[in-house]
Amino acid sequence: MVELDLAEVERCRALAVQWAPVLQALGNPDRLLIVLWLTDGPQSVRELQAVTGLPQSTVSYHLGHLRDAGLVSAEAEGRSNRYRLRSPDLDRVATMLGSLAPTAAED
């Protein structure tokens, strides 16, 4: 029987609790599209509507989830907000996710 390192188990448990909301937020295709699009820079809800084809209320709903997960932030610009990624590291995450996706040949 393998001896468990309880400190390592707790460290992994804490990471799982920390990462779960982020991964859950990225698990929705529309939210993932928004995150991927925001890697090019800040966008308004109207701009994100054009990209996603979703109604304003749905884009705002998804942006709320992404804000709650700590992935995006909003900056007031005139009468609207511009949304941006909170971390430039998300560019690397997007690249990594792209490399993990199965290709048509692998299906």
Side-chain angles (χ1 to χ4, degrees), residues 5-53:
D5 179 345
L6 295 180
E8 184 65 10
V9 170
E10 286 307 310
R11 185 188 74 77
C12 288
R13 185 181 316 278
L15 284 174
V17 168
Q18 180 183 1
W19 292 353
V22 172
L23 294 174
Q24 184 178 19
L26 293 175
N28 176 281
D30 293 322
R31 288 194 289 268
L32 185 55
L33 173 59
I34 290 169
V35 167
L36 293 172
W37 199 256
L38 290 175
T39 61
D40 287 337
Q43 304 285 317
S44 68
V45 170
R46 186 173 302 251
E47 291 165 326
L48 292 169
Q49 273 183 270
V51 170
T52 61

Side-chain angles (χ1 to χ4, degrees), residues 32-95:
L32 185 55
L33 173 59
I34 290 169
V35 167
L36 293 172
W37 199 256
L38 290 175
T39 61
D40 287 337
Q43 304 285 317
S44 68
V45 170
R46 186 173 302 251
E47 291 165 326
L48 292 169
Q49 273 183 270
V51 170
T52 61
L54 299 170
Q56 180 272 328
S57 60
T58 304
V59 171
S60 294
Y61 171 81
H62 287 310
L63 286 166
H65 273 282
L66 294 169
R67 282 179 29 179
D68 290 346
L71 297 174
V72 301
S73 61
E75 293 179 2
E77 185 177 274
R79 299 180 74 197
S80 63
N81 289 324
R82 292 192 65 78
Y83 292 86
R84 71 175 60 242
L85 296 178
R86 292 192 62 200
S87 171
D89 292 334
L90 286 170
D91 284 340
R92 290 193 307 238
V93 170
T95 300

